[in-house]
Amino acid sequence: MLMDAHRLPRAAQGIGLKPRHMAELIAERADIDFLELHAENHMSAGGPMRDDLAAIAARYPLSVHGVGLSLGSAEPLDDQHLARLVHLVDELNPVRVSEHLAWSRLEGDFYNDLLPLPLSEESLEVVARHVDTTQQALGRQLLVENPSLYMALDNTLSEADFLTELVRRTGCGLLLDINNAYISAENLGRDLSDYLSALPLSAVGEFHLAGHSLDTEATPPLRIDDHGSPVCEAVWQRYAQLTDALPAVPTLIEWDTRIPSLPRWLEEAALARHYHASAARAPLARLEPAS
Amino acid sequence: MTSLAEWQRDFTRALQFGEAGDSRLGHQPGFDVYRNNVRHSLIEALAQTFPHTRTLLGERFFRSVASDHVRRRLPEEPRLRYYGQAFAEALERLSVMQDYRYVVDICRLEHARLSVSHAADAAPLSAELLGQAEDPQAVCCMTHPASRLVEGHHDVLCLWHALERGEDHAPVGAAGDWTWLLIRQGRRVEIHPVNTSTRRLYQTLTTTTPLGEALATSARQADQAQVSEALGTLLALGSLTQAQETPA
């Protein structure tokens, strides 16, 4: 039987679901509020991994995080892929369904990355249309995640204005990836406080936190969103500020490369609880830069 | 002003052709991160799909072949487990592989195993169930969705089992035409060598067919005893299932 998935405790903490941890998570209920899976890894017709996922779904609330729908492609959505997503969501009844403000598909080829989207009225119309189609197909709200960026594009809309208008037009929610926001601010030299203050924070339905690396061989050095290390201190500080403003929003700790043991990952989630609690003890008036 | 579609076309051209492609986009600071992410993640996807092929070729040669493959062919969809479909053919076309065709056989087996692992569930058709049918010849059957036929050039099963045990070498069996049937049993995928009659009957049943008709087709190329034996093999392996619908 599936969990009553739309309910999560206040300030819930989650971690990603990886094949290497599935047996452990099934054998013993881990101290975690929810698990998040990458949709494309679980679009199987049958077999043992699907059986394991059903066992996981019976024990934990799940969040479905898509990485391949390509909301920003200047062509119609891939109907077959959308149908597979709908099927997975119908089966799992997850607490959240999310995708990215990015694109990865063009003219029959799939580029396995979250490619950057120039932000303009035209791209806003494209993404709004695709979000609308997806929400109608799913019969529920989609959260759209802010990107981590490595190059400046010729935008005619700011990212915060774009996301604000997307929320207004489609009724979608936001998945605020604080690590992504930090990386983009550092790489593009934008003011993180201004960016966060301009977002429609009331639409945030989930936080993402992750580690990143620094490529010092690039000129200038670039922060790379590799999800392969613990969350950095500057991101934790922003998280504490944001949870002060949004105390009930669930948080997911991502880790996709150099994946740690399950206990180590759970420690990182425990650390998120600590920062969340410390924010509650010492509320901040506004989103000040982390010192 | 460039439309979004044109801009995305330029971007993908720069991703694929590097500096020879669009110069403005491809030379911007930070663009290399996207190019490297696409290339590296697809090479990694192939490495995950073909661990035994990787062991046999060695890390450096495998990555070089995988990198060439990524340059020539991108995935058609986001489920990367299906990306390796044409990798064995790409490997086979390399002149350097002509003396190592058994590696191509291992590569084909790896891809088939992955497909079988994620294929749909279905109840296998057993000899007992078939025997209970009013008219067994009229039963519409088809191959089990979690089964695949793989054809190869060497007897590589000993090598395969050695690789599965984590050993990196084992004698390669005799050259010749070999056919293996992969079938999922519980959490495992088993590999069974099958003879020509069994291969032909399995191939006949890849589309829904009344059993009597499939047996008659196979009997044109083999004697009755061989066809009966082939049916017995397919039923014993659980590689057939009863189709719900009758063929058009």
Side-chain angles (χ1 to χ4, degrees):
Chain A
M1 187 183 147
L2 295 174
M3 309 290 293
D4 183 4
H6 291 285
R7 294 200 184 128
L8 276 179
R10 188 179 159 83
Q13 305 291 335
I15 61 168
L17 175 64
K18 300 295 173 193
R20 72 182 64 179
H21 297 145
M22 281 176 101
E24 222 174 326
L25 287 162
I26 292 168
E28 193 175 344
R29 179 68 166 79
D31 181 20
I32 196 74
D33 299 317
F34 72 104
L35 298 169
E36 186 159 290
L37 56 99
H38 284 182
E40 286 70 15
N41 293 343
H42 294 274
M43 291 174 171
S44 299
M49 200 167 153
R50 197 159 176 269
D51 295 342
D52 288 348
L53 184 59
I56 291 278
R59 289 165 174 75
Y60 301 87
L62 296 176
S63 165
V64 170
H65 189 49
V67 294
L69 197 53
S70 196
L71 291 173
S73 281
E75 57 186 24
L77 289 176
D78 177 347
D79 286 345
Q80 287 184 330
H81 192 65
L82 180 57
R84 285 192 289 262
L85 180 66
V86 169
H87 184 68
L88 187 71
V89 168
D90 284 350
E91 273 196 341
L92 298 177
N93 190 25
V95 284
R96 300 286 185 279
V97 184
S98 52
E99 251 291 351
H100 295 84
L101 179 61
W103 62 286
S104 48
R105 190 173 54 80
L106 196 71
E107 295 168 346
D109 285 327
F110 180 75
Y111 299 85
N112 190 45
D113 196 23
L114 299 165
L115 301 176
L117 186 69
L119 304 179
S120 64
E121 188 53 43
E122 183 195 3
S123 58
L124 177 59
E125 278 175 26
V126 165
V127 177
R129 188 163 62 243
H130 291 165
V131 168
D132 197 42
T133 303
T134 304
Q135 292 188 140
Q136 286 195 29
L138 292 170
R140 57 184 292 163
Q141 189 190 47
L142 183 71
L143 305 183
V144 178
E145 180 178 335
N146 56 300
S148 48
L149 297 169
Y150 308 108
M151 60 189 282
L153 304 177
D154 294 332
N155 295 337
T156 56
L157 287 170
S158 74
E159 190 176 303
D161 286 349
F162 187 100
L163 289 169
T164 302
E165 189 57 18
L166 185 66
V167 166
R168 192 191 67 77
R169 288 190 194 182
T170 66
C172 73
L174 294 184
L175 192 170
L176 177 51
D177 189 316
I178 304 170
N179 184 53
N180 286 1
Y182 177 77
I183 287 172
S184 296
E186 291 285 307
N187 288 344
L188 305 185
R190 74 184 180 196
D191 187 298
L192 183 55
S193 294
D194 286 352
Y195 170 77
L196 293 172
S197 299
L199 286 177
L201 291 182
S202 61
V204 173
E206 184 179 337
F207 291 125
H208 268 187
L209 296 171
H212 64 263
S213 59
L214 184 65
D215 179 3
T216 51
E217 287 180 17
T219 313
L222 283 170
R223 291 184 188 270
I224 309 292
D225 187 25
D226 63 358
H227 296 182
S229 53
V231 179
C232 77
E233 186 56 29
V235 171
W236 279 129
Q237 295 300 329
R238 288 292 177 178
Y239 173 65
Q241 293 171 341
L242 283 157
T243 54
D244 177 45
L246 301 168
V249 172
T251 303
L252 187 281
I253 311 280
E254 296 182 291
W255 218 317
D256 294 311
T257 57
R258 298 184 288 279
I259 296 168
S261 68
L262 184 58
R264 173 66 191 91
W265 205 342
L266 292 170
E267 275 176 18
E268 201 73 356
L271 204 50
R273 281 195 195 99
H274 162 77
Y275 277 100
H276 196 288
S278 65
R281 283 196 302 273
L284 295 170
R286 63 181 293 273
L287 300 168
E288 296 294 346
S291 54
Chain B
M1 189 181 160
T2 314
S3 73
L4 180 61
E6 287 164 7
W7 186 87
Q8 291 184 335
R9 233 170 268 131
D10 285 347
F11 195 96
T12 57
R13 216 172 287 134
L15 277 180
Q16 290 178 71
F17 301 120
E19 294 183 5
D22 177 79
S23 55
R24 197 182 64 84
L25 270 172
H27 286 289
Q28 282 194 48
F31 185 87
D32 275 347
V33 177
Y34 298 105
R35 187 188 287 131
N36 291 343
N37 281 352
V38 172
R39 193 164 298 165
H40 177 76
S41 67
L42 293 178
I43 292 171
E44 200 48 44
L46 292 172
Q48 299 266 324
T49 302
F50 300 107
H52 297 338
T53 307
R54 192 169 135 199
T55 300
L56 293 172
L57 293 180
E59 194 66 21
R60 184 181 288 192
F61 187 55
F62 178 85
R63 290 204 174 257
S64 162
V65 176
S67 179
D68 284 347
H69 187 65
V70 167
R71 229 187 317 272
R72 290 199 186 91
R73 191 180 186 121
L74 287 161
E76 293 169 7
E77 60 136 306
R79 293 177 302 170
L80 291 188
R81 79 176 75 100
Y82 297 111
Y83 176 45
Q85 205 150 15
F87 190 59
E89 282 70 30
L91 210 54
E92 195 165 33
R93 280 195 297 272
L94 295 176
S95 56
V96 71
M97 293 304 296
Q98 291 315 303
D99 293 335
Y100 303 96
R101 295 180 80 191
Y102 64 92
V103 181
V104 178
D105 294 344
I106 293 287
C107 187
R108 289 209 168 92
L109 285 172
E110 288 196 285
H111 188 260
R113 175 169 67 174
L114 193 63
S115 301
V116 166
S117 294
H118 293 275
D121 302 310
L125 177 63
S126 65
E128 290 73 25
L129 206 64
L130 191 61
Q132 288 163 14
E134 197 174 310
D135 178 7
Q137 301 275 325
V139 170
C140 280
C141 352
M142 62 182 299
T143 53
H144 194 284
S147 71
R148 296 286 184 283
L149 214 54
V150 173
E151 297 184 42
H153 306 294
H154 285 84
D155 179 8
V156 292
L157 271 200
C158 272
L159 175 60
W160 174 269
H161 291 306
L163 290 162
E164 288 282 279
R165 289 191 300 269
E167 299 163 15
D168 59 3
H169 64 277
V172 179
D177 294 330
W178 294 85
T179 306
W180 301 283
L181 182 63
L182 284 77
I183 176 87
R184 193 175 70 218
Q185 302 284 4
R187 298 184 72 87
R188 287 177 48 79
V189 175
E190 295 180 354
I191 305 179
H192 301 274
V194 293
N195 63 25
T196 306
S197 310
T198 308
R199 171 175 60 80
R200 285 197 188 120
L201 183 58
Y202 182 92
Q203 286 169 332
T204 306
L205 287 164
T206 50
T207 51
T208 304
T209 315
L211 186 58
E213 201 178 294
L215 294 172
T217 303
S218 288
R220 285 185 213 122
Q221 295 167 302
D223 66 41
Q224 196 56 52
Q226 288 172 320
V227 174
S228 299
E229 188 194 333
L231 177 61
T233 301
L234 292 180
L235 289 171
L237 293 175
S239 58
L240 300 181
T241 186
Q242 190 166 357
Q244 297 307 308
E245 78 283 12
T246 51

